[in-house]
Amino acid sequence: MDLMGSLLKGAGITPESLSQAPSPEKPAPKQTLSDSEIMGNAFVFLLAGHETAANSIHFSCVYLALHPTSQRRLQASLDRIFGSRPISEWDYDRDFNPLFGTMAGAVLAEELRLIPPVSAIPKCVPNHSPPQPLLINGKEYSIPPATYINLVSLAVHRNPKSWPAGPPTDPDHPAHPTSNPDNDLEEFKPERWIRADGKNNSHDSTTTLDTDPASEDAPNTATGTSSSANLHRPPRGAYIPFSEGYRACLGRRFAQTEVLAVLAVIFKFYSVELAVDKYASDDEVEGMEEEEKRGVWEKVRGE
């Protein structure tokens, strides 16, 4: 994944253009991107997404501390992928797709479903543009020029029409007091992304969805797709943590790689758990029976 190389190639800067002296018969190729545009895009790749990636890492760790069963499944998956290989032998070409298409990818996808980087994504039809079509529930609407629309990712990511969902884990204490009280779409369940068959994800689910691969954005080397083809694929428009279409986040694949690499390093060698020092010291916890430990942990989890 050579992001900088793609920028330079798009600017008309290639090894051939640098090695050949211009002549009247063959003038130097026109540079389509200015130096400042190349630097600006490099800044976006390397710096602009760090706070959103850091947030995804943070909330993934919090969710996994709250859901130790999912954490153990992630660790088992990482053991299968990396075995006893040291970090120095981990390789993007070899290891990214297995990470992206298994429990690590499911953890990232579920965290982004619940806490997307941008809660409302602005879109517009420019003043002098022709009306643009918008498809909603199979019906096409015409959006006139000078119209602004916000795509509310927090809402579409929780729409029960678009997602496989089971009953809430604890109906008496729902994850949200008013939203989706009769299903588990407000809960962190990365297992919902693990496909149980070749068509869709029906694991732990009362609803299954058929997805149409032809309706998905065509991936490219810079951005890829928002979730792996080996995981559950929501209908187009139902999952937009990086927006969608030609204006999707340019640094999507970079961010996915960055977050998955950090999660893999942490959970291949360590576990995370809730801090219970408000109720007991480490020495006190060490001397507790399992039932007593769980009681203290549940107090913290309920806060």
Side-chain angles (χ1 to χ4, degrees):
M1 183 177 60
D2 185 3
L3 299 177
M4 187 58 66
S6 297
L7 276 178
L8 294 174
K9 186 176 180 181
I13 302 173
T14 64
E16 292 76 17
S17 69
L18 294 174
S19 61
Q20 294 177 355
S23 64
E25 296 79 18
K26 194 171 185 181
K30 181 181 179 182
Q31 183 169 323
T32 56
L33 291 177
S34 68
D35 290 348
S36 63
E37 287 172 330
I38 295 174
M39 291 297 293
N41 278 279
F43 176 83
V44 170
F45 285 143
L46 300 176
L47 298 175
H50 273 40
E51 73 281 7
T52 52
N55 284 339
S56 291
I57 294 167
H58 165 78
F59 287 115
S60 294
C61 289
V62 171
Y63 275 131
L64 289 167
L66 288 166
H67 299 83
T69 300
S70 295
Q71 182 176 166
R72 287 192 292 270
R73 287 173 178 160
L74 170 62
Q75 291 167 324
S77 177
L78 295 174
D79 287 342
R80 288 191 293 270
I81 293 170
F82 296 111
S84 58
R85 284 186 289 145
I87 295 176
S88 59
E89 294 181 10
W90 295 9
D91 178 74
Y92 174 85
D93 292 330
R94 174 179 177 178
D95 298 320
F96 178 79
N97 283 337
L99 273 177
F100 196 35
T102 52
M103 193 63 181
V107 166
L108 174 59
E110 182 72 346
E111 185 277 327
L112 290 172
R113 183 185 71 83
L114 291 170
I115 309 178
V118 181
S119 59
I121 302 170
K123 300 285 185 179
C124 75
V125 180
N127 286 339
H128 304 294
S129 171
Q132 298 295 310
L134 179 64
L135 194 67
I136 301 177
N137 293 330
K139 184 176 180 180
E140 186 173 293
Y141 297 84
S142 181
I143 309 300
T147 300
Y148 289 81
I149 294 175
N150 279 316
L151 307 179
V152 184
S153 54
L154 289 170
V156 298
H157 289 180
R158 290 164 166 79
N159 186 348
K161 295 180 180 178
S162 302
W163 295 91
T169 300
D170 186 355
D172 295 328
H173 301 88
H176 191 280
T178 58
S179 178
N180 289 315
D182 58 347
N183 61 55
D184 63 2
L185 288 177
E186 298 294 333
E187 301 176 27
F188 177 78
K189 285 191 175 181
E191 292 80 6
R192 79 172 79 247
W193 291 84
I194 305 298
R195 289 160 54 139
D197 54 46
K199 291 185 178 180
N200 52 56
N201 170 22
S202 59
H203 182 84
D204 266 344
S205 171
T206 57
T207 304
T208 58
L209 300 171
D210 288 320
T211 57
D212 178 12
S215 70
E216 297 162 2
D217 296 330
N220 59 62
T221 55
T223 59
T225 55
S226 292
S227 64
S228 168
N230 293 326
L231 299 177
H232 168 65
R233 300 302 295 271
R236 186 176 183 181
Y239 186 60
I240 52 173
F242 299 100
S243 189
E244 195 172 70
Y246 292 106
R247 297 290 182 178
C249 175
L250 190 63
R252 168 165 45 187
R253 180 51 56 89
F254 184 86
Q256 291 166 334
T257 304
E258 187 176 36
V259 174
L260 288 176
V262 173
L263 293 179
V265 170
I266 293 174
F267 290 97
K268 180 68 175 71
F269 302 101
Y270 303 96
S271 297
V272 296
E273 59 185 32
L274 297 177
V276 299
D277 43 334
K278 180 178 178 180
Y279 298 97
S281 66
D282 290 344
D283 291 338
E284 289 172 331
V285 172
E286 192 69 27
M288 291 180 181
E289 299 292 334
E290 283 301 317
E291 186 174 342
E292 192 176 3
K293 287 181 183 179
R294 179 161 292 276
V296 173
W297 184 84
E298 289 291 348
K299 288 181 181 178
V300 178
R301 190 175 189 273
E303 292 180 348

